[in-house]
Amino acid sequence: MAEKKKTAFVLGGGGARGAYEIGVWQALRETDIRPDMIAGCSVGAINGALIAQDDFDLAVRLWKEIQTDMIVDKSFPRKKDSPLKKLLDRYLDESKIRASGTEFGLVTVELPNLTPRYFFLEDIGQGKLIDFILASASLFPAFKAADIDDAKYVDGGYLDNLPVGMALKRGATKIIAVDLETSGLVQKEALKQADDLTMIRCKWDLGNILVFDGKSSEKNLRLGYLDTLKVFGFFDGNHYTFSKGEYSKRMLEPAEAAARIFELDPAYIYTKSSFKRRLSEAVLSYRKETEAEIHSFRDQLKARSLDKELLLSLLKKINQRSITLVIADHLQGDAEASEKLMRKSLSLLFKDENLAASYLIKDGII
């Protein structure tokens, strides 16, 4: 008899970055990928409970309404019940989680010996699930240690911020893991042991883990959604998201370099035409703002050779967008400029700017 396949969502810790995981869940729901098991650490345990509860709209509402003072107790002495406990009492329903049929587990760290402790639902006494979720998310000293049954616990991320090994030991055959890339410890050996592992990480900085606000959460949720659809092949791109087949792999890198330099919004799904339009608008707007600066830089390029010391000196005075436009102008004005620039190692010193400049010319933006 064939072994039953078991899909596990493994959700890492990362505090205020956690909305990203709900975006991942949104994409997985839309692609009809459902978990048999969820293993979470810290905010991943909170999100894992919301997923097990299977109330997506409630999870989105929590993250869009969230503020730092709803999470962190800044009073002294600290109150018996933290703001986070009150929040979880409002949003989590232990009976629904237990009745869901999803194997839900979490990791926390027991004091004073700093021992990782792994708990699934059957290991947690009735009525104590929220206490253990809080234990998993007790990032000491920002949060006080959690007291449960004469034991003290702190954030699981101190020893296992992405509990893939926990899911494997439970029998998971397919792992979909979300790494929020904080300073928490990731057990890399467990990642190597996973035969079927899909890792989802963000190319962008998701922000301070202790600063919660709805606007940042909305952005991170969107990025999690788009990144997941890209990982599963529904869209193209790395930092940005493009409709399938709009760009060849060779053209994606320079297109994205230009988009990063001119600060296009990564929350959009771009077609070739919409990308060109938005990039053109950004380039034109910046060129108008900085015409004098660009002329000055161009004059210096004409007056002296592009030696390394000069380039490093100019780099301190001018930003990526100006450098990109100057390189583009230089390439357009000299048929042999590309070869000359390569010889002088400009492509190494300003790799992204050189890629972006070439793209702007090839796509007819400048």
Side-chain angles (χ1 to χ4, degrees):
M1 185 175 178
E3 178 187 9
K4 183 181 182 299
K5 300 291 184 181
K6 187 180 288 190
T7 298
F9 292 176
V10 179
L11 306 175
R17 300 178 182 181
Y20 184 85
E21 295 176 334
I22 300 301
V24 172
W25 180 32
Q26 178 186 3
L28 294 175
R29 281 165 53 91
E30 290 183 6
T31 54
D32 204 30
I33 299 174
R34 309 279 172 165
D36 302 296
M37 180 194 310
I38 300 167
C41 175
S42 196
V43 75
I46 296 171
N47 285 331
L50 288 164
I51 294 171
Q53 198 168 291
D54 198 26
D55 193 336
F56 176 74
D57 291 339
L58 186 71
V60 171
R61 187 161 76 243
L62 183 155
W63 278 103
K64 286 187 176 181
E65 293 177 355
I66 205 164
Q67 297 294 327
T68 302
D69 60 6
M70 299 167 67
I71 304 295
V72 180
D73 183 4
K74 296 181 180 179
S75 64
F76 186 82
R78 288 175 174 169
K79 300 171 185 176
K80 182 178 179 182
D81 287 340
S82 68
L84 180 56
K85 185 176 190 312
K86 292 178 181 178
L87 189 70
L88 297 186
D89 283 337
R90 279 173 48 208
Y91 281 93
L92 296 183
D93 187 328
E94 181 173 341
S95 61
K96 281 187 179 180
I97 296 167
R98 290 186 182 276
S100 68
T102 303
E103 298 177 59
F104 172 68
L106 56 84
V107 57
T108 184
V109 172
E110 186 176 353
L111 299 178
N113 296 324
L114 289 178
T115 305
R117 298 295 187 194
Y118 301 92
F119 298 94
F120 278 94
L121 285 172
E122 66 269 21
D123 306 313
I124 297 171
Q126 192 73 35
K128 293 185 177 180
L129 179 58
I130 288 177
D131 293 334
F132 276 91
I133 292 172
L134 280 168
S136 182
S138 293
L139 183 60
F140 186 84
F143 297 86
K144 65 180 182 180
D147 290 294
I148 307 173
D149 298 332
D150 299 322
K152 286 186 179 293
Y153 301 96
V154 293
D155 197 294
Y158 286 114
L159 293 176
D160 195 352
N161 201 47
L162 194 66
V164 168
M166 177 184 189
L168 292 174
K169 289 179 182 177
R170 183 78 171 192
T173 55
K174 178 180 177 62
I175 304 285
I176 299 173
V178 186
D179 184 3
L180 297 178
E181 296 189 288
T182 68
S183 57
L185 181 64
V186 173
Q187 299 289 343
K188 294 183 179 179
E189 190 58 38
L191 303 184
K192 295 177 184 177
Q193 293 171 0
D195 294 327
D196 188 347
L197 171 65
T198 300
M199 185 70 73
I200 300 172
R201 296 186 176 103
C202 190
K203 301 287 187 181
W204 299 95
D205 182 358
L206 295 174
N208 190 313
I209 66 171
L210 290 175
V211 178
F212 294 78
D213 73 86
K215 187 174 181 181
S216 294
S217 294
E218 193 167 359
K219 179 200 75 172
N220 289 346
L221 194 152
R222 176 68 173 172
L223 292 175
Y225 173 74
L226 293 176
D227 284 348
T228 304
L229 292 176
K230 284 184 287 187
V231 164
F232 283 92
F234 292 94
F235 294 106
D236 292 332
N238 294 297
H239 286 82
Y240 290 87
T241 305
F242 298 92
S243 295
K244 199 72 179 170
E246 290 285 288
Y247 286 94
S248 67
K249 289 183 179 179
R250 185 175 60 85
M251 288 300 292
L252 269 177
E253 185 180 6
E256 291 203 300
R260 288 197 306 276
I261 288 170
F262 286 93
E263 300 178 353
L264 266 60
D265 190 342
Y268 285 100
I269 299 172
Y270 293 96
T271 61
K272 187 177 286 187
S273 61
S274 68
F275 182 74
K276 182 174 182 177
R277 183 178 68 253
R278 289 180 181 272
L279 184 56
S280 297
E281 290 169 354
V283 170
L284 179 61
S285 174
Y286 183 74
R287 199 186 267 282
K288 286 180 178 178
E289 291 173 10
T290 59
E291 199 67 34
E293 181 186 44
I294 292 172
H295 277 305
S296 174
F297 191 9
R298 188 184 299 121
D299 289 343
Q300 291 184 64
L301 286 175
K302 290 179 180 178
R304 298 178 61 183
S305 60
L306 288 172
D307 62 273
K308 185 175 179 180
E309 289 184 7
L310 171 62
L311 291 172
L312 291 175
S313 173
L314 292 174
L315 181 60
K316 296 176 182 178
K317 302 175 184 177
I318 203 162
N319 65 41
Q320 277 190 302
R321 286 171 288 181
S322 296
I323 294 171
T324 299
L325 293 179
V326 170
I327 292 173
D329 289 345
H330 203 60
L331 291 172
Q332 281 187 313
D334 184 350
E336 299 179 358
S338 180
E339 183 181 347
K340 291 177 182 177
L341 291 172
M342 290 293 288
R343 277 205 310 267
K344 294 179 181 298
S345 301
L346 187 64
S347 62
L348 295 176
L349 288 168
F350 300 123
K351 178 184 176 184
D352 285 347
E353 293 87 346
N354 199 38
L355 281 171
S358 299
Y359 177 81
L360 294 177
I361 294 170
K362 286 179 182 178
D363 206 33
I365 292 174
I366 61 172

